[in-house]
Amino acid sequence: MSESQTIVIKIGTSSLTKATGQIAVATIASLVETLTSLRSDGHRVVLVSSGAVGVGCARLNLKERPRKIAVKQAVAAVGQGRLMRIYDDLFSSLQQPIAQVLLTRRELMERTSYVNAFNTFIALLELGVIPIVNENDTVAIDELKFGDNDTLSALVASLIEADWLFILTDVDRLYSADPRLNPDAQPIELVGSAEFKQLQVEAGGNGSQWGTGGMATKLAAARIATSSGVRTVITQGKQPQNILQIIQGEPLGTQFEPQSRADNARKRWINYGLIPMGKLYLDRGAVKAICQQGKSLLPAGIIKIEGDFVASDAVQLCDGEGREIGRGLVNYSSTEITQIKGHHSEKIAQILGYEGADTVVHRNNLIIKD
């Protein structure tokens, strides 16, 4: 494809390191050459790189990944500097400037920070820089962690409205079962947007000894990215040069077709940038009004609430059987909603003793799940 595109590439620890935990220099060099070639072709490129903890373990001669959070964060701090030094040396030899971008979930949860992150990425890409992104493990707290860089890469791809997300892993594509254990495993070359829900694969496990992302996290990341209009590919991390061939149309890896990018950036932020702080259970009338008629959520349609949250927090909207139908930003706290649920909007001021919004979740702050 000749036109300039925005491409996010995520590479996992299993691809960046050998089984011994030592750095796979040849793979990193091939990755650097590939990304620089993409930039030379006029594409905008972002790299989401795992490996800080793995590289830190090798640097400190640790035989296994630490389990204690404080030790893991300390090891990540050691490894991150070493990893960036390797990237900088290799990219500099090809005269390609790079930048380090460390994110935590908190930056994507706060609307102003989310917009600032977007502006920073766009400025870097316009300058011809390749941003290298990782979670800021040194300061991240457990409840606000991305959990793995597969999720981080999908959120970054959604944030910057990328055209492609490549998830580089230790298999050449997705299979119906683990090909290392099941010789009858069938390769999956293309997953259409309508087929995603019916996709049945063996996706258990937590990844390698040094990494945190198993196949389940990659499928979850593909779901986030494709629903944001980003074509997603799972392919072999030890052969990053395949990215060039895939963009040119060769059927390598497993591709996930993107959905149309119909929603706006704010609604993508509500859907993927925020962590829901509670749940609202709705009656059938409210579910129909929201899903079929595009209306706001009124207090009369709420039958039960869960969680402790404040106004402007994100919550999940569920039907009476607990299935999530959407997400939104609430205009009232959980305490206030407990008092007004089941009542008509004109009763809100009388119940609470002060004037407030007529809606619990306004339709402009509400997204519907597929």
Side-chain angles (χ1 to χ4, degrees):
M1 298 182 184
S2 58
E3 70 271 16
S4 176
Q5 298 184 87
T6 301
I7 303 167
V8 176
I9 296 100
K10 182 267 175 179
I11 189 162
T13 303
S14 63
S15 301
L16 291 171
T17 57
K18 302 176 183 178
T20 59
Q22 297 299 313
I23 298 169
V25 177
T27 300
I28 298 178
S30 178
L31 176 69
V32 167
E33 188 173 355
T34 299
L35 269 54
T36 302
S37 178
L38 288 169
R39 271 290 312 125
S40 298
D41 290 342
H43 300 301
R44 297 170 293 276
V45 179
V46 175
L47 173 63
V48 178
S49 176
S50 300
V53 175
V55 171
C57 285
R59 188 75 165 172
L60 297 171
N61 295 316
L62 301 179
K63 301 303 180 186
E64 62 180 20
R65 191 182 183 91
R67 291 181 172 85
K68 290 185 178 179
I69 295 296
V71 177
K72 180 181 172 183
Q73 290 177 319
V75 171
V78 172
Q80 187 64 33
R82 174 66 175 155
L83 187 62
M84 286 303 299
R85 170 67 186 272
I86 295 169
Y87 278 129
D88 192 48
D89 286 346
L90 292 171
F91 275 112
S92 293
S93 68
L94 298 175
Q95 289 79 52
Q96 173 58 52
I98 62 171
Q100 178 176 241
V101 178
L102 296 176
L103 292 173
T104 66
R105 193 70 186 246
R106 193 185 302 277
E107 273 88 65
L108 298 188
M109 288 178 64
E110 207 280 313
R111 180 63 184 165
T112 302
S113 296
Y114 184 89
V115 173
N116 286 344
F118 168 81
N119 291 335
T120 299
F121 273 111
I122 298 306
L124 287 168
L125 296 175
E126 288 178 350
L127 290 169
V129 175
I130 295 179
I132 300 181
V133 186
N134 196 1
E135 180 164 14
N136 195 349
D137 286 311
T138 307
V139 300
I141 57 176
D142 234 17
E143 58 267 31
L144 290 182
K145 286 180 70 65
F146 294 104
D148 58 84
N149 276 348
D150 297 320
T151 302
L152 173 58
S153 68
L155 291 172
V156 169
S158 173
L159 169 70
I160 65 174
E161 300 184 356
D163 299 290
W164 293 84
L165 168 62
F166 288 89
I167 300 178
L168 306 186
T169 184
D170 53 3
V171 294
D172 60 338
R173 55 164 49 103
L174 200 64
Y175 288 82
S176 58
D178 190 334
R180 295 167 294 189
L181 304 176
N182 187 342
D184 297 324
Q186 296 298 309
I188 300 172
E189 295 184 359
L190 180 66
V191 179
S193 57
E195 301 166 340
F196 210 141
K197 291 181 181 179
Q198 286 75 43
L199 180 64
Q200 295 294 322
V201 295
E202 185 177 300
N206 294 318
S208 68
Q209 175 190 2
W210 303 106
T212 59
M215 192 55 71
T217 68
K218 290 166 179 56
L219 291 178
R223 190 178 298 277
I224 292 172
T226 54
S227 64
S228 300
V230 183
R231 178 172 289 273
T232 302
V233 183
I234 292 176
T235 190
Q236 175 62 257
K238 297 293 186 183
Q239 297 174 313
Q241 64 273 15
N242 286 351
I243 294 172
L244 299 171
Q245 298 169 261
I246 293 169
I247 288 177
Q248 291 166 3
E250 293 197 27
L252 302 172
T254 297
Q255 293 198 29
F256 298 81
E257 289 184 342
Q259 298 177 23
S260 60
R261 188 174 280 147
D263 58 347
N264 59 36
R266 179 177 175 81
K267 292 203 171 183
R268 286 200 305 276
W269 167 68
I270 292 171
N271 199 4
Y272 302 118
L274 301 179
I275 297 176
M277 306 305 291
K279 293 182 179 180
L280 301 180
Y281 293 84
L282 316 181
D283 62 24
R284 291 182 180 178
V287 171
K288 181 179 179 181
I290 290 171
C291 296
Q292 297 180 23
Q293 300 168 6
K295 294 187 176 180
S296 302
L297 173 61
L298 304 178
I302 302 172
I303 54 179
K304 186 174 73 169
I305 73 167
E306 286 183 7
D308 183 11
F309 49 86
V310 299
S312 297
D313 274 348
V315 298
Q316 294 173 292
L317 306 180
C318 303
D319 63 17
E321 297 178 355
R323 291 186 294 261
E324 184 180 7
I325 63 155
R327 294 188 180 189
L329 305 180
V330 289
N331 291 322
Y332 294 97
S333 69
S334 52
T335 302
E336 292 167 324
I337 296 174
T338 299
Q339 297 177 65
I340 63 176
K341 68 180 175 67
H343 294 280
H344 292 291
S345 297
E346 58 265 23
K347 296 279 188 71
I348 292 177
Q350 178 184 339
I351 295 170
L352 297 180
Y354 48 85
E355 291 285 346
D358 292 337
T359 61
V360 173
V361 179
H362 192 275
R363 63 185 180 186
N364 291 346
N365 292 326
L366 189 155
I367 62 97
I368 305 300
K369 293 287 186 179
D370 294 326

